[in-house]
Amino acid sequence: MLKGLIAVVIALSVAVPIWAAEDGAPQKQENKQVDKFGWRAREVLRLVNEERAKHKLRPLRLSERCQRQADKRAKEICRRFNHKGAFSGLGYYCNMGENIAKGQKSPRAVVRAWMHSKGHRANILSRRYSDLGVGFCRGRWVQTFGGGCRVRKVRRVVRRRR
């Protein structure tokens, strides 16, 4: 009797994943790619790029460097909410910016708040930035912006000697 019960339990434990697969339930993927940015960052990026598109500006892209900085800043502003120490990890950017906010419950709410603030709106709509990172910690939001250096080509005028 005990052997028969063990066989049924084993058979059910093997069959359950098969039934789940037939029902269309999500299956575990062994080689699942890790999302470095997270759903909040992707949603803030989408909303920010919608605002930029209204002004005929190029979209921003999520950057690992900006994201690391945003995550670091989010942890800092969980302790103390201020702009001090904002750019300690964005060394290779010539143009850098930061938006912080507190109390908004969703990406839509925080982007709306930033768009209703003159300084934050200026960062979001700046042509100087190409990269974005978004951090979040206990209701506090951070956007870090980065943009490359624009090197102007200078024409060298060569005068001929006579």
Side-chain angles (χ1 to χ4, degrees), residues 7 113 152:
R152 294 182 182 163

Side-chain angles (χ1 to χ4, degrees), residues 15-27:
V16 169
I18 295 170
W19 291 334
E22 289 174 0
D23 289 342
Q27 296 178 339

Side-chain angles (χ1 to χ4, degrees), residues 106-121:
S106 69
R108 183 171 301 282
V110 76
V111 171
R112 187 179 313 121
W114 281 327
M115 290 305 291
H116 284 96
S117 164
K118 186 178 177 182
H120 296 111
R121 179 183 176 92

Side-chain angles (χ1 to χ4, degrees), residues 45-115:
L45 175 72
R46 186 185 70 75
L47 294 166
V48 163
N49 282 336
E50 279 181 11
E51 294 295 334
R52 289 176 65 84
K54 291 176 191 175
H55 293 85
K56 298 182 178 22
L57 296 169
R58 288 179 302 142
L60 299 176
R61 65 178 180 250
L62 289 173
S63 150
E64 287 186 43
R65 179 165 282 197
C66 283
Q67 187 61 42
R68 279 193 305 271
Q69 181 63 16
D71 289 338
K72 177 183 171 189
R73 288 289 295 137
K75 289 175 187 169
E76 289 173 4
I77 67 171
C78 269
R79 291 188 301 270
R80 179 173 289 146
F81 188 77
N82 63 31
H83 282 285
K84 291 182 180 176
F87 304 116
S88 60
L90 292 172
Y92 82 98
Y93 289 112
C94 287
N95 300 305
M96 298 171 276
E98 176 187 72
N99 286 345
I100 62 176
K102 181 165 96 173
Q104 292 78 10
K105 304 239 186 261
S106 69
R108 183 171 301 282
V110 76
V111 171
R112 187 179 313 121
W114 281 327
M115 290 305 291

Side-chain angles (χ1 to χ4, degrees), residues 35-48 62 67 70-71 74 104-111 114 132-143:
D35 184 4
K36 298 174 238 179
F37 302 109
W39 70 271
R40 285 184 184 96
R42 293 196 184 285
E43 183 62 8
V44 168
L45 175 72
R46 186 185 70 75
L47 294 166
V48 163
L62 289 173
Q67 187 61 42
D71 289 338
Q104 292 78 10
K105 304 239 186 261
S106 69
R108 183 171 301 282
V110 76
V111 171
W114 281 327
L132 178 71
V134 179
F136 178 81
C137 179
R138 295 192 307 247
R140 296 169 188 214
W141 298 82
V142 179
Q143 277 184 315

